[in-house]
Amino acid sequence: MTLTLLDWRRRVAALYAAARAATDPETGWRTWRDGRDELFASHPDSPLDPGARESFRGLPFAPYDPTLRFAAVLERAEPQRLEVPTATDGVVPFERIGSVTLAALGTLDVWWLDSYGGGVFLPLRDGSAGSTSYGGGRYLLDTVKGADLGGAGGRLVVDLNFAYHPSCTYDPRWSCPLAPEGDRIPAVVSAGEQLPPGGWY
C-alpha cells in the first residue's frame, strides 16, 4: 500500500459519489467514465503500463442504456463461503449475503468480503466474456474500493452500464477475484466497458 494507491482509491470513491449524487443517471455515468479515463491515462497506479499509457485514448464503452439500471431487491440466498486464492493477496474470503434478479437477464449472487473492513462484491460474467469483454468477467460493485452506486430499503442500485474490467484485464501482473458460478449468465450484456480490438496485452 502506498500513498499514491490511497489517492487512487479516494478518487475512485469520489467518482462514485458524484455518480450517486447526479440527478440523471447517464450524466453520473459520463462523469464516472471521464474520471476513469483520466486516472488510467495519468495516475501512477494506473493498471496500464507506461507504454500502454502513451497510446491510451480512453476506455471503450457501449452507449448508455437506461433499461439496464436496476434498483434490485437483495433476496435471501443459502449461505456459501468462497475462498479465492490470489497471487498477491493470499486467500480472499467471501460470504454470500443474498442475490439480485435483473429482470429477464437472470439472478446474480451478492458477496461480502469477509476480512477487515468488509464490503459488497458483485461480479458479472455474461455471454460477451471472451469476445467483447474480458473472459473472467467484469465488476459491477466492489464497495471496499469505492465502487458503490447506492440503494436503500433492502435494495442495491445495479447499473450494468457501470460494468468495468478488473485490473488483471490490462496487465497479467495483477491478480483479481473472478466471477464464480452464481454470477455467470448466458445473456450478452452489451453495456459497460468493452475490450479494444485485440485486447489489452
Side-chain angles (χ1 to χ4, degrees), residues 2-198:
T2 64
L3 290 181
T4 58
L5 183 54
L6 176 62
D7 178 68
W8 172 280
R9 291 196 176 178
R10 284 175 177 158
R11 292 175 66 178
V12 167
L15 291 173
Y16 278 92
R20 290 193 301 272
T23 54
D24 170 51
E26 184 172 352
T27 299
W29 172 76
R30 291 188 181 281
T31 298
W32 172 79
R33 272 195 60 188
D34 291 346
R36 193 162 158 80
D37 280 347
E38 182 182 346
L39 285 170
F40 270 66
S42 61
H43 198 277
D45 279 293
S46 169
L48 298 178
D49 66 32
R53 283 181 228 174
E54 287 181 9
S55 59
F56 180 70
R57 297 295 178 267
L59 296 166
F61 269 82
Y64 191 87
D65 182 348
T67 68
L68 295 177
R69 180 181 176 88
F70 304 90
V73 174
L74 182 63
E75 302 161 344
R76 292 176 62 87
E78 287 296 315
Q80 182 182 347
R81 184 174 178 86
L82 287 180
E83 295 192 347
V84 181
T86 68
T88 54
D89 297 320
V91 175
V92 180
F94 293 95
E95 297 282 351
R96 183 164 59 187
I97 59 170
S99 63
V100 289
T101 300
L102 308 180
L105 292 171
T107 299
L108 300 174
D109 288 336
V110 180
W111 303 89
W112 184 261
L113 174 61
D114 191 29
S115 59
Y116 183 77
V120 171
F121 179 57
L122 179 56
L124 167 70
R125 186 184 190 278
D126 67 278
S128 72
S131 55
T132 57
S133 69
Y134 178 56
R138 293 175 286 178
Y139 292 175
L140 298 171
L141 301 174
D142 188 5
T143 66
V144 73
K145 296 177 182 172
D148 177 11
L149 293 171
R155 295 176 180 267
L156 288 171
V157 174
V158 179
D159 190 333
L160 300 178
N161 297 285
F162 283 78
Y164 68 94
H165 288 126
S167 297
C168 51
T169 308
Y170 315 102
D171 191 319
R173 67 191 169 96
W174 296 92
S175 181
C176 308
L178 303 179
E181 189 62 36
D183 294 285
R184 301 177 186 181
I185 58 174
V188 173
V189 175
S190 299
E193 189 180 340
Q194 308 292 296
L195 286 177

